[in-house]
């Protein structure tokens, strides 16, 4: 369990302006720390890893026959509350939990909110130090990683906060919606997806840390959150693109990335791994793309006019090899994409699409499980 906030030990409720952190301690957040894009890492507070990591001054990550030493001194925190009480809670957090640990991330964040609520931070006109608890205590957060997760995340977070309100009425509708507004969806603008497997114990090794791209697209959240994220990231040399915003912008961004990911990574990788022949991939590609468009249109995140306006809506899909990166890598993030598409297909009662995405999910799952 992460450290609990104790009554009488109320921290000064100020986020570290201009500071950016990663959550949790995994391949992507370690790569960002090593590259100087982030200042610290916040973890789940797991008893298996957090104490040893916080006590360590560095961690060595394998890179081929060499090792990279990543400095952790004063830059690792067990939880949100741990970072807050040490005066180092970042203004912006890059949240990159793996698909399997996404529920743990929601639990970790809502645990932090519950601790704040118990201390009365959200009580109207009686806020500690008379400061706005949302802007002073809730970091602006970029949810990154592959998959169709933003809609599910917002739904689950809203449900969790609503449950907390039963015990803490100060978590009003307005407060809860403002907390939700602190989250945006983010995607790195790269044909590769930065790796996101958990590092686990301090002795864990990776073949390589992911190369972190310098451009990221974000969608969703409120305007203040978007502006804060843009300012902080650009100060680190990261370029931020904000597409035309509407209520569906985060999910639209996910579907656009799914279309690209299938053509540039998933199908080429299946060919390279001899899991599909080129003819099989050429046959599957238009069906996959058509399925994504069908689901996206039914969810009102893609439009029929966009689809028909394309010169050749399957131009990328017809020749997977033509757009193939050097060595496209399959990972659990790709399983998450297909599983999300299959879930939407089932929800929308699309049996053919569900069968297609269900088979691909199983194929990708079996491969990742063997690695």
């Amino acid at each position: 369990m992460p450290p609990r906030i104790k009554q009488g030990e109320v921290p000064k409720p100020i986020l570290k302006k201009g500071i950016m952190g990663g959550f949790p301690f995994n391949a992507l957040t370690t790569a960002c720390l090593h590259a100087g894009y982030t200042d610290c890492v916040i973890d789940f507070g797991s008893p298996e890893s957090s104490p040893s990591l916080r006590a360590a001054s560095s961690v060595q990550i394998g890179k081929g026959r060499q090792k990279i030493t990543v400095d952790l001194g004063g830059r690792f925190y067990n939880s949100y509350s741990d970072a807050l009480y040490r005066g180092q809670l970042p203004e912006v957090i890059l949240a990159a939990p793996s698909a399997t640990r996404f529920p743990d991330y929601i639990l970790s964040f809502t645990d932090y909110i519950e601790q704040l609520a118990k201390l009365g931070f959200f009580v109207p006109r009686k806020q500690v130090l008379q400061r706005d608890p949302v802007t002073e205590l809730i970091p602006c957060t970029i949810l990154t990683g592959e998959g169709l997760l933003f809609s599910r995340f917002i739904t689950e977070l809203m449900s969790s906060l609503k449950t907390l309100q039963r015990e803490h009425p100060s978590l009003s509708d307005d407060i809860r919606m403002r907390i939700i507004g602190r989250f945006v969806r983010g995607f790195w603008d790269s044909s590769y997806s930065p790796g996101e497997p958990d590092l686990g114990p301090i002795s864990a090794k990776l073949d390589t840390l992911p190369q972190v791209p310098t451009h990221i697209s974000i969608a969703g959240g409120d305007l203040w959150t978007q502006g804060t994220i843009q300012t902080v990231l650009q100060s680190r040399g990261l370029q931020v693109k904000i597409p035309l915003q509407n209520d569906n912008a985060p999910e639209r961004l996910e579907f656009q990335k799914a279309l690209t990911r299938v053509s540039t990574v998933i199908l080429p990788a299946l060919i390279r791994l001899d899991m599909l022949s080129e003819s099989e991939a050429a046959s599957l590609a238009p069906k996959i793309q058509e399925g994504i468009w069908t689901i996206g249109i039914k969810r009102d995140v893609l439009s029929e006019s966009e689809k028909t306006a394309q010169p050749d809506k399957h131009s990328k899909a017809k020749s997977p090899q033509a757009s193939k990166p050097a060595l496209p890598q399959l990972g659990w993030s790709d399983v998450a994409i297909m599983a999300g598409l299959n879930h939407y297909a089932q929800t929308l009662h699309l049996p053919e699409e569900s069968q297609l995405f269900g088979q691909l999910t199983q194929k990708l799952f079996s491969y990742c499980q063997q690695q």
Side-chain angles (χ1 to χ4, degrees):
M1 291 292 292
R4 311 298 297 185
I5 296 177
K6 298 179 181 179
Q7 191 74 37
E9 297 183 2
V10 180
K12 189 176 183 180
I14 298 177
L15 296 173
K16 292 287 288 184
K17 302 297 183 182
I19 298 299
M20 181 172 168
F23 188 108
F25 187 59
N26 62 19
L28 177 56
T29 56
T30 303
C32 288
L33 194 66
H34 180 65
Y37 295 143
T38 54
D39 304 283
C40 64
V41 176
I42 299 172
D43 205 34
F44 291 107
S46 169
E48 290 80 19
S49 61
S50 291
S52 61
L53 287 170
R54 191 172 68 176
S57 60
S58 64
V59 60
Q60 288 189 325
I61 306 299
K63 186 176 183 180
R65 296 182 180 181
Q66 300 178 336
K67 290 183 178 179
I68 294 176
T69 299
V70 180
D71 180 24
L72 295 179
R75 303 200 293 171
F76 179 85
Y77 305 101
N78 289 346
S79 63
Y80 280 93
S81 58
D82 185 31
L84 179 69
Y85 274 91
R86 293 172 184 275
Q88 298 297 323
L89 187 62
E91 184 177 25
V92 174
I93 289 181
L94 177 72
S98 62
T100 55
R101 301 220 62 182
F102 213 75
D104 296 330
Y105 172 67
I106 294 177
L107 181 62
S108 178
F109 179 76
T110 53
D111 178 79
Y112 173 65
I113 297 297
E114 182 177 21
Q115 293 184 56
L116 295 177
K118 285 181 177 178
L119 287 173
F121 276 97
F122 302 111
V123 176
R125 295 181 301 280
K126 295 181 181 179
Q127 296 159 0
V128 178
L129 301 184
Q130 296 299 307
R131 288 194 171 100
D132 175 25
V134 176
T135 58
E136 296 288 0
L137 288 164
I138 312 300
C140 299
T141 302
I142 310 167
L143 293 169
T144 190
E146 302 291 346
L148 307 179
L149 56 85
F150 193 79
S151 177
R152 177 167 64 93
F153 170 79
I154 294 299
T155 299
E156 292 184 16
L157 181 57
M158 289 180 68
S159 176
S160 297
L161 293 177
K162 183 67 174 177
T163 299
L164 285 181
Q165 188 200 23
R166 297 171 188 168
E167 187 175 348
H168 305 285
S170 60
L171 285 169
S172 63
D173 291 349
D174 176 66
I175 289 290
R176 295 199 311 276
M177 291 310 297
R178 291 182 61 216
I179 291 173
I180 295 294
R182 302 290 273 182
F183 290 86
V184 305
R185 186 66 164 105
F187 271 106
W188 298 102
D189 290 348
S190 170
S191 56
Y192 281 111
S193 171
E196 50 177 330
D198 294 329
L199 285 178
I202 193 169
S203 60
K205 296 180 181 179
L206 295 174
D207 291 335
T208 183
L209 288 176
Q211 184 70 36
V212 183
T214 57
H215 292 70
I216 189 169
S217 295
I218 64 172
D222 57 42
L223 293 178
W224 179 271
T225 297
Q226 291 179 4
T228 300
I229 288 173
Q230 189 169 35
T231 298
V232 173
L233 266 63
Q234 288 182 347
S235 72
R236 304 306 176 92
L238 297 170
Q239 298 303 308
V240 179
K241 178 181 178 183
I242 305 178
L244 183 64
Q245 297 294 295
N246 57 45
D247 291 343
N248 295 326
E251 196 172 344
R252 174 182 171 82
L253 185 61
E254 290 179 337
F255 272 78
Q256 289 173 332
K257 292 298 178 180
L259 283 163
T260 301
R261 182 81 179 171
V262 166
S263 296
T264 61
V265 176
I266 295 177
L267 287 176
L270 290 175
I271 293 172
R272 181 176 60 83
L273 294 167
D274 293 327
M275 296 173 68
L276 283 179
S277 67
E278 290 195 33
S279 60
E280 288 173 325
S283 174
L284 274 178
K287 296 177 183 178
I288 296 172
Q289 300 253 336
E290 184 69 26
I292 296 175
W293 274 102
T294 298
I295 294 171
I297 290 170
K298 285 184 175 293
R299 289 191 61 81
D300 293 324
V301 297
L302 300 174
S303 69
E304 187 70 44
S305 60
E306 287 179 291
K307 177 184 174 184
T308 56
Q310 295 181 105
D312 182 352
K313 60 179 179 290
H314 301 312
S315 58
K316 290 184 179 179
K318 285 183 178 179
S319 181
Q321 292 269 35
S323 57
K324 182 176 72 172
L327 286 174
Q329 301 295 316
L330 291 176
W332 290 106
S333 56
D334 299 304
V335 178
I337 289 177
M338 288 301 165
L341 290 168
N342 184 34
H343 169 74
Y344 282 140
Q346 291 176 343
T347 302
L348 295 168
H349 306 291
L350 300 171
E352 292 184 9
E353 287 80 0
S354 176
Q355 182 179 18
L356 171 63
F357 293 127
Q359 290 174 345
L360 285 168
T361 299
Q362 186 58 49
K363 186 183 289 287
L364 295 173
F365 180 83
S366 298
Y367 169 77
C368 291
Q369 209 173 29
Q370 296 169 9
Q371 300 310 300

